[in-house]
Amino acid sequence: VELSPIGSFEAKSSKIRGKIEKNSDGSFSAKKITVKVTSLKTGIELRDNHLHKSMLAKKNKKVILTNAKASNGKGTAKLSIRGVTKPIKFTYKDKGGKLDIDFTINLNDYKFEDINYKGVGVEEKLQLNVVMDYK
């Protein structure tokens, strides 16, 4: 997460639920993958609390990715954050049993507004990376 005027931080979770399947034609698919919002940790408890509050964790407990389809290093899916669902495009690398997936979202698309603390704000674009096993 890039901050303005300067800085950045990472939010991580090892609590990813769901499965990615490698299809017979070499493509990949996933019906539903979820991450519990409160499992996202930044290394600072106060920042974690702000993150969970801004993501409306009490009402929208999970980030949900559905209908993922991918081949030849590129894919599409639907991503739900804060109760808003938007289509996304992503790239991936097959690491032999794991996929390393990268995509960017615009926080305004998910109705995030005015995310800041003591004059430090979150940039509109968010880079996401997911590393997940497949079968």
Side-chain angles (χ1 to χ4, degrees):
V1 177
E2 294 295 325
L3 301 174
S4 176
I6 60 169
S8 66
F9 68 89
E10 291 184 354
K12 296 182 179 185
S13 175
S14 59
K15 307 266 183 186
I16 299 174
R17 302 290 177 248
K19 64 181 179 176
I20 299 173
E21 294 182 359
K22 185 170 186 176
N23 304 310
S24 60
D25 64 359
S27 67
F28 295 91
S29 60
K31 291 180 183 173
K32 184 176 183 181
I33 298 172
T34 63
V35 177
K36 190 173 180 183
V37 171
T38 55
S39 76
L40 294 166
K41 303 295 181 194
T42 66
I44 298 174
E45 187 176 352
L46 178 62
R47 188 166 51 204
D48 292 349
N49 292 338
H50 286 279
L51 173 66
H52 301 158
K53 184 178 177 183
S54 72
M55 292 184 70
L56 306 175
K58 289 184 180 181
K59 182 178 178 185
N60 301 287
K61 298 183 184 310
K62 295 178 182 178
V63 174
I64 304 168
L65 183 99
T66 56
N67 302 322
K69 295 177 181 161
S71 63
N72 300 316
K74 295 181 180 179
T76 61
K78 291 186 178 181
L79 183 65
S80 299
I81 302 174
R82 295 176 44 127
V84 177
T85 303
K86 296 283 185 180
I88 62 162
K89 292 181 180 180
F90 59 88
T91 60
Y92 72 90
K93 291 179 183 152
D94 186 348
K95 302 279 185 164
K98 291 184 184 291
L99 288 187
D100 188 336
I101 304 160
D102 291 298
F103 58 101
T104 302
I105 63 169
N106 185 319
L107 293 176
N108 290 337
D109 290 345
Y110 296 92
K111 299 185 180 175
F112 284 91
E113 297 174 354
D114 197 31
I115 306 171
N116 65 65
Y117 181 70
K118 294 191 175 186
V120 177
V122 172
E123 292 290 331
E124 203 172 289
K125 300 273 185 193
L126 184 64
Q127 302 288 326
L128 293 132
N129 174 258
V130 177
V131 178
M132 194 168 165
D133 295 337
Y134 66 80
K135 294 183 181 195

